[in-house]
Amino acid sequence: MKTVYEKPKSLNDVHFHYCPGCGHGVIHKLVAEVIDELGIQHKTVGVAPVGCAVFAYNYYNFDFSQAAHGRAPAVATGIKRSKPETVVFSYQGDGDLAAIGTAEIIHAANRGENITVIFVNNAIYGMTGGQMAPTTLVGQKATTAPYGRDPKTMGHPIKVSELLSNLEGVTYIERTAITTPGEIMKAKKAIKKAFQNQIDGAGFSMVEILSQCPTNWGVKPVDGTKFIKEKLQEVFPLGVYKDLSEERKGGK
Ligand code: SF4
Ligand code: MG
């Protein structure tokens, strides 16, 4: 029988622990497919966050390191600088990257570290219990904002891609969403480019992916995608925020 699809070699043959309708499984698969296609499995090192993807090292079939909450860009910097032949990426949620690790991501981006960042934005703290994240929408309920986020006392959602794209050190930033087969393929293309940039020595690349967390949004698993399209994308528009990939190839 002809094989039309098989699990990427960069994923282990184990079950994910994620909730029904969660976006992490899809994103894991896209990253693994890209690593297989680029033929870099033997030299890839991932850095796992604290958050729902804390067990990423169990799912990927290549080297992994575990960072303290929010510190993945600092750990990725250390690995990449000491072993420049490796391909290093951090995999981080919005609680991890945009709150606890704000300093790490801003400074790694500003230094133009030649690393790849996969930023999974589901507008809420997942694993720790549905607390308000910096990316939580105005009016969105969270366990620490039971009446909904009020910008008067809680500020407005932080738009990380827009913020980081203003920094000189950044080479490439794109925001995607895993809502439809077409958008999922666009997300994969962006992930591939972010890894290719690192291989080319082009510098800091980040792909933000709007991802489903039906459990903490209080919606049915089947309605997670609708929430992204109707609510998240209004505040976090999809698109390329910066792209100097060609100009910076070879470390220019
Ligand atoms: Fe996914 Fe949300 Fe469940 Fe975490 S809490 S596994 S992000 S659906
Ligand atoms: Mg989150």
Side-chain angles (χ1 to χ4, degrees), residues 6 8 13 22 40 42 66-67 73 82-83 89 96 102-103 111 118 131-133 160 203 223-224 244:
E6 54 187 358
D13 196 13
C22 176
I40 53 171
H42 62 291
Q66 170 68 57
S82 57
K83 289 179 82 67
F89 76 97
D96 187 88
T102 319
R111 293 190 306 268
I118 306 297
Q131 293 90 351
M132 192 189 87
V160 176
D223 291 331
L244 299 175

PDB file of all heavy atoms in Angstrom, residues 6 8 13 22 40 42 66-67 73 82-83 89 96 102-103 111 118 131-133 160 203 223-224 244:
ATOM      1  N   GLU A   6       2.971  10.030   7.023  1.00  0.00           N
ATOM      2  CA  GLU A   6       3.386   9.379   8.259  1.00  0.00           C
ATOM      3  C   GLU A   6       3.827  10.422   9.272  1.00  0.00           C
ATOM      4  O   GLU A   6       4.135  11.555   8.909  1.00  0.00           O
ATOM      5  CB  GLU A   6       4.461   8.318   8.026  1.00  0.00           C
ATOM      6  CG  GLU A   6       5.676   8.785   7.282  1.00  0.00           C
ATOM      7  CD  GLU A   6       6.625   7.627   6.944  1.00  0.00           C
ATOM      8  OE1 GLU A   6       6.371   6.465   7.309  1.00  0.00           O
ATOM      9  OE2 GLU A   6       7.646   7.919   6.303  1.00  0.00           O
ATOM     10  N   PRO A   8       5.890  12.683  11.595  1.00  0.00           N
ATOM     11  CA  PRO A   8       7.266  13.160  11.411  1.00  0.00           C
ATOM     12  C   PRO A   8       8.238  12.385  12.301  1.00  0.00           C
ATOM     13  O   PRO A   8       7.908  12.027  13.433  1.00  0.00           O
ATOM     14  CB  PRO A   8       7.194  14.627  11.846  1.00  0.00           C
ATOM     15  CG  PRO A   8       5.765  14.988  11.904  1.00  0.00           C
ATOM     16  CD  PRO A   8       4.972  13.737  12.046  1.00  0.00           C
ATOM     17  N   ASP A  13       6.745   8.555  19.329  1.00  0.00           N
ATOM     18  CA  ASP A  13       5.459   7.875  19.192  1.00  0.00           C
ATOM     19  C   ASP A  13       4.780   7.754  20.561  1.00  0.00           C
ATOM     20  O   ASP A  13       4.650   6.681  21.133  1.00  0.00           O
ATOM     21  CB  ASP A  13       5.686   6.493  18.567  1.00  0.00           C
ATOM     22  CG  ASP A  13       4.383   5.913  18.044  1.00  0.00           C
ATOM     23  OD1 ASP A  13       3.401   6.665  17.939  1.00  0.00           O
ATOM     24  OD2 ASP A  13       4.354   4.700  17.760  1.00  0.00           O
ATOM     25  N   CYS A  22      -7.145  21.574  21.887  1.00  0.00           N
ATOM     26  CA  CYS A  22      -5.967  22.423  22.137  1.00  0.00           C
ATOM     27  C   CYS A  22      -5.129  22.564  20.870  1.00  0.00           C
ATOM     28  O   CYS A  22      -5.031  21.638  20.066  1.00  0.00           O
ATOM     29  CB  CYS A  22      -5.132  21.787  23.241  1.00  0.00           C
ATOM     30  SG  CYS A  22      -3.590  22.672  23.550  1.00  0.00           S
ATOM     31  N   ILE A  40      17.410  18.602   9.730  1.00  0.00           N
ATOM     32  CA  ILE A  40      18.249  19.141  10.824  1.00  0.00           C
ATOM     33  C   ILE A  40      17.977  18.459  12.173  1.00  0.00           C
ATOM     34  O   ILE A  40      18.396  18.959  13.211  1.00  0.00           O
ATOM     35  CB  ILE A  40      18.043  20.676  10.967  1.00  0.00           C
ATOM     36  CG1 ILE A  40      16.554  21.018  11.119  1.00  0.00           C
ATOM     37  CG2 ILE A  40      18.645  21.426   9.773  1.00  0.00           C
ATOM     38  CD1 ILE A  40      16.269  22.460  11.483  1.00  0.00           C
ATOM     39  N   HIS A  42      19.240  15.974  13.637  1.00  0.00           N
ATOM     40  CA  HIS A  42      20.440  15.580  14.386  1.00  0.00           C
ATOM     41  C   HIS A  42      21.127  16.760  15.084  1.00  0.00           C
ATOM     42  O   HIS A  42      21.945  16.564  15.971  1.00  0.00           O
ATOM     43  CB  HIS A  42      21.440  14.900  13.448  1.00  0.00           C
ATOM     44  CG  HIS A  42      21.922  15.813  12.355  1.00  0.00           C
ATOM     45  ND1 HIS A  42      21.099  16.241  11.330  1.00  0.00           N
ATOM     46  CD2 HIS A  42      23.122  16.402  12.145  1.00  0.00           C
ATOM     47  CE1 HIS A  42      21.790  17.041  10.530  1.00  0.00           C
ATOM     48  NE2 HIS A  42      23.014  17.161  11.008  1.00  0.00           N
ATOM     49  N   GLN A  66      15.247  22.283  29.347  1.00  0.00           N
ATOM     50  CA  GLN A  66      14.081  22.847  30.036  1.00  0.00           C
ATOM     51  C   GLN A  66      14.505  24.128  30.738  1.00  0.00           C
ATOM     52  O   GLN A  66      15.448  24.121  31.527  1.00  0.00           O
ATOM     53  CB  GLN A  66      13.555  21.833  31.057  1.00  0.00           C
ATOM     54  CG  GLN A  66      12.505  22.368  31.988  1.00  0.00           C
ATOM     55  CD  GLN A  66      11.215  22.681  31.242  1.00  0.00           C
ATOM     56  OE1 GLN A  66      10.642  21.818  30.598  1.00  0.00           O
ATOM     57  NE2 GLN A  66      10.765  23.931  31.293  1.00  0.00           N
ATOM     58  N   ALA A  67      13.833  25.217  30.435  1.00  0.00           N
ATOM     59  CA  ALA A  67      14.189  26.494  31.062  1.00  0.00           C
ATOM     60  C   ALA A  67      13.257  26.793  32.231  1.00  0.00           C
ATOM     61  O   ALA A  67      12.131  26.298  32.283  1.00  0.00           O
ATOM     62  CB  ALA A  67      14.095  27.616  30.029  1.00  0.00           C
ATOM     63  N   PRO A  73      14.566  32.190  26.144  1.00  0.00           N
ATOM     64  CA  PRO A  73      15.453  32.895  25.201  1.00  0.00           C
ATOM     65  C   PRO A  73      16.880  33.027  25.734  1.00  0.00           C
ATOM     66  O   PRO A  73      17.838  33.012  24.960  1.00  0.00           O
ATOM     67  CB  PRO A  73      14.795  34.277  25.047  1.00  0.00           C
ATOM     68  CG  PRO A  73      13.356  34.055  25.413  1.00  0.00           C
ATOM     69  CD  PRO A  73      13.394  33.018  26.502  1.00  0.00           C
ATOM     70  N   SER A  82      27.370  28.814  22.464  1.00  0.00           N
ATOM     71  CA  SER A  82      28.431  27.850  22.774  1.00  0.00           C
ATOM     72  C   SER A  82      28.522  26.752  21.719  1.00  0.00           C
ATOM     73  O   SER A  82      29.576  26.157  21.541  1.00  0.00           O
ATOM     74  CB  SER A  82      28.234  27.242  24.170  1.00  0.00           C
ATOM     75  OG  SER A  82      26.970  26.642  24.240  1.00  0.00           O
ATOM     76  N   LYS A  83      27.442  26.490  21.000  1.00  0.00           N
ATOM     77  CA  LYS A  83      27.456  25.471  19.942  1.00  0.00           C
ATOM     78  C   LYS A  83      26.783  26.057  18.698  1.00  0.00           C
ATOM     79  O   LYS A  83      25.635  25.741  18.386  1.00  0.00           O
ATOM     80  CB  LYS A  83      26.729  24.208  20.413  1.00  0.00           C
ATOM     81  CG  LYS A  83      27.487  23.419  21.485  1.00  0.00           C
ATOM     82  CD  LYS A  83      26.719  22.191  21.926  1.00  0.00           C
ATOM     83  CE  LYS A  83      26.889  21.010  21.000  1.00  0.00           C
ATOM     84  NZ  LYS A  83      28.228  20.443  20.958  1.00  0.00           N
ATOM     85  N   PHE A  89      15.791  26.432  19.076  1.00  0.00           N
ATOM     86  CA  PHE A  89      14.527  27.186  19.131  1.00  0.00           C
ATOM     87  C   PHE A  89      13.934  27.124  20.530  1.00  0.00           C
ATOM     88  O   PHE A  89      14.119  26.164  21.257  1.00  0.00           O
ATOM     89  CB  PHE A  89      13.535  26.674  18.082  1.00  0.00           C
ATOM     90  CG  PHE A  89      12.861  25.358  18.405  1.00  0.00           C
ATOM     91  CD1 PHE A  89      11.595  25.323  18.976  1.00  0.00           C
ATOM     92  CD2 PHE A  89      13.491  24.155  18.133  1.00  0.00           C
ATOM     93  CE1 PHE A  89      10.968  24.111  19.266  1.00  0.00           C
ATOM     94  CE2 PHE A  89      12.874  22.938  18.410  1.00  0.00           C
ATOM     95  CZ  PHE A  89      11.608  22.920  18.977  1.00  0.00           C
ATOM     96  N   ASP A  96       4.425  32.629  29.607  1.00  0.00           N
ATOM     97  CA  ASP A  96       5.878  32.433  29.710  1.00  0.00           C
ATOM     98  C   ASP A  96       6.658  33.551  29.021  1.00  0.00           C
ATOM     99  O   ASP A  96       7.519  34.190  29.616  1.00  0.00           O
ATOM    100  CB  ASP A  96       6.211  31.073  29.057  1.00  0.00           C
ATOM    101  CG  ASP A  96       7.663  30.659  29.242  1.00  0.00           C
ATOM    102  OD1 ASP A  96       7.966  30.017  30.262  1.00  0.00           O
ATOM    103  OD2 ASP A  96       8.469  30.958  28.359  1.00  0.00           O
ATOM    104  N   THR A 102       9.324  38.571  29.876  1.00  0.00           N
ATOM    105  CA  THR A 102       9.369  39.779  29.024  1.00  0.00           C
ATOM    106  C   THR A 102      10.797  40.268  28.817  1.00  0.00           C
ATOM    107  O   THR A 102      11.200  40.607  27.708  1.00  0.00           O
ATOM    108  CB  THR A 102       8.549  40.934  29.655  1.00  0.00           C
ATOM    109  OG1 THR A 102       7.359  40.404  30.184  1.00  0.00           O
ATOM    110  CG2 THR A 102       8.229  42.001  28.631  1.00  0.00           C
ATOM    111  N   ALA A 103      11.565  40.315  29.901  1.00  0.00           N
ATOM    112  CA  ALA A 103      12.938  40.823  29.784  1.00  0.00           C
ATOM    113  C   ALA A 103      13.762  39.942  28.857  1.00  0.00           C
ATOM    114  O   ALA A 103      14.482  40.442  27.988  1.00  0.00           O
ATOM    115  CB  ALA A 103      13.599  40.888  31.165  1.00  0.00           C
ATOM    116  N   ARG A 111      19.320  41.893  20.878  1.00  0.00           N
ATOM    117  CA  ARG A 111      20.706  41.501  20.565  1.00  0.00           C
ATOM    118  C   ARG A 111      20.793  40.830  19.205  1.00  0.00           C
ATOM    119  O   ARG A 111      21.882  40.568  18.708  1.00  0.00           O
ATOM    120  CB  ARG A 111      21.243  40.518  21.630  1.00  0.00           C
ATOM    121  CG  ARG A 111      21.433  41.099  23.018  1.00  0.00           C
ATOM    122  CD  ARG A 111      22.207  40.120  23.918  1.00  0.00           C
ATOM    123  NE  ARG A 111      21.613  38.798  23.979  1.00  0.00           N
ATOM    124  CZ  ARG A 111      20.724  38.401  24.888  1.00  0.00           C
ATOM    125  NH1 ARG A 111      20.307  39.231  25.828  1.00  0.00           N
ATOM    126  NH2 ARG A 111      20.242  37.178  24.866  1.00  0.00           N
ATOM    127  N   ILE A 118       9.242  30.117  18.768  1.00  0.00           N
ATOM    128  CA  ILE A 118       7.862  29.740  18.455  1.00  0.00           C
ATOM    129  C   ILE A 118       7.023  30.242  19.632  1.00  0.00           C
ATOM    130  O   ILE A 118       7.148  29.756  20.759  1.00  0.00           O
ATOM    131  CB  ILE A 118       7.714  28.194  18.311  1.00  0.00           C
ATOM    132  CG1 ILE A 118       8.716  27.637  17.286  1.00  0.00           C
ATOM    133  CG2 ILE A 118       6.268  27.821  17.965  1.00  0.00           C
ATOM    134  CD1 ILE A 118       8.540  28.123  15.873  1.00  0.00           C
ATOM    135  N   GLN A 131      -5.216  32.046  34.601  1.00  0.00           N
ATOM    136  CA  GLN A 131      -5.052  33.436  35.051  1.00  0.00           C
ATOM    137  C   GLN A 131      -4.944  34.382  33.849  1.00  0.00           C
ATOM    138  O   GLN A 131      -4.622  33.962  32.744  1.00  0.00           O
ATOM    139  CB  GLN A 131      -3.779  33.580  35.907  1.00  0.00           C
ATOM    140  CG  GLN A 131      -3.822  32.855  37.226  1.00  0.00           C
ATOM    141  CD  GLN A 131      -3.314  31.433  37.133  1.00  0.00           C
ATOM    142  OE1 GLN A 131      -3.077  30.911  36.057  1.00  0.00           O
ATOM    143  NE2 GLN A 131      -3.165  30.786  38.278  1.00  0.00           N
ATOM    144  N   MET A 132      -5.199  35.667  34.087  1.00  0.00           N
ATOM    145  CA  MET A 132      -5.062  36.667  33.033  1.00  0.00           C
ATOM    146  C   MET A 132      -3.599  36.750  32.597  1.00  0.00           C
ATOM    147  O   MET A 132      -2.696  36.799  33.440  1.00  0.00           O
ATOM    148  CB  MET A 132      -5.509  38.034  33.550  1.00  0.00           C
ATOM    149  CG  MET A 132      -5.669  39.051  32.457  1.00  0.00           C
ATOM    150  SD  MET A 132      -5.935  40.695  33.148  1.00  0.00           S
ATOM    151  CE  MET A 132      -4.257  41.233  33.358  1.00  0.00           C
ATOM    152  N   ALA A 133      -3.398  36.759  31.291  1.00  0.00           N
ATOM    153  CA  ALA A 133      -2.047  36.923  30.739  1.00  0.00           C
ATOM    154  C   ALA A 133      -1.956  38.338  30.178  1.00  0.00           C
ATOM    155  O   ALA A 133      -2.977  39.021  30.015  1.00  0.00           O
ATOM    156  CB  ALA A 133      -1.808  35.893  29.637  1.00  0.00           C
ATOM    157  N   VAL A 160       2.807  41.502  21.165  1.00  0.00           N
ATOM    158  CA  VAL A 160       4.237  41.179  21.202  1.00  0.00           C
ATOM    159  C   VAL A 160       4.896  41.320  19.830  1.00  0.00           C
ATOM    160  O   VAL A 160       5.994  41.872  19.717  1.00  0.00           O
ATOM    161  CB  VAL A 160       4.451  39.759  21.779  1.00  0.00           C
ATOM    162  CG1 VAL A 160       5.921  39.378  21.740  1.00  0.00           C
ATOM    163  CG2 VAL A 160       3.937  39.687  23.209  1.00  0.00           C
ATOM    164  N   GLY A 203      19.690  35.749  11.672  1.00  0.00           N
ATOM    165  CA  GLY A 203      19.369  36.408  12.938  1.00  0.00           C
ATOM    166  C   GLY A 203      18.006  36.064  13.508  1.00  0.00           C
ATOM    167  O   GLY A 203      17.343  35.135  13.059  1.00  0.00           O
ATOM    168  N   ASP A 223     -15.447  24.943  19.393  1.00  0.00           N
ATOM    169  CA  ASP A 223     -15.612  26.392  19.186  1.00  0.00           C
ATOM    170  C   ASP A 223     -14.324  27.201  19.381  1.00  0.00           C
ATOM    171  O   ASP A 223     -14.330  28.425  19.262  1.00  0.00           O
ATOM    172  CB  ASP A 223     -16.696  26.931  20.135  1.00  0.00           C
ATOM    173  CG  ASP A 223     -18.070  26.423  19.738  1.00  0.00           C
ATOM    174  OD1 ASP A 223     -18.281  26.172  18.529  1.00  0.00           O
ATOM    175  OD2 ASP A 223     -18.925  26.257  20.631  1.00  0.00           O
ATOM    176  N   GLY A 224     -13.229  26.525  19.665  1.00  0.00           N
ATOM    177  CA  GLY A 224     -11.967  27.233  19.882  1.00  0.00           C
ATOM    178  C   GLY A 224     -11.519  28.027  18.656  1.00  0.00           C
ATOM    179  O   GLY A 224     -11.073  29.176  18.755  1.00  0.00           O
ATOM    180  N   LEU A 244      13.555  41.035   7.230  1.00  0.00           N
ATOM    181  CA  LEU A 244      14.846  41.430   6.647  1.00  0.00           C
ATOM    182  C   LEU A 244      15.663  40.178   6.337  1.00  0.00           C
ATOM    183  O   LEU A 244      16.899  40.210   6.339  1.00  0.00           O
ATOM    184  CB  LEU A 244      15.610  42.333   7.631  1.00  0.00           C
ATOM    185  CG  LEU A 244      14.937  43.656   8.010  1.00  0.00           C
ATOM    186  CD1 LEU A 244      15.762  44.380   9.078  1.00  0.00           C
ATOM    187  CD2 LEU A 244      14.768  44.554   6.787  1.00  0.00           C
TER     188      LEU A 244
END
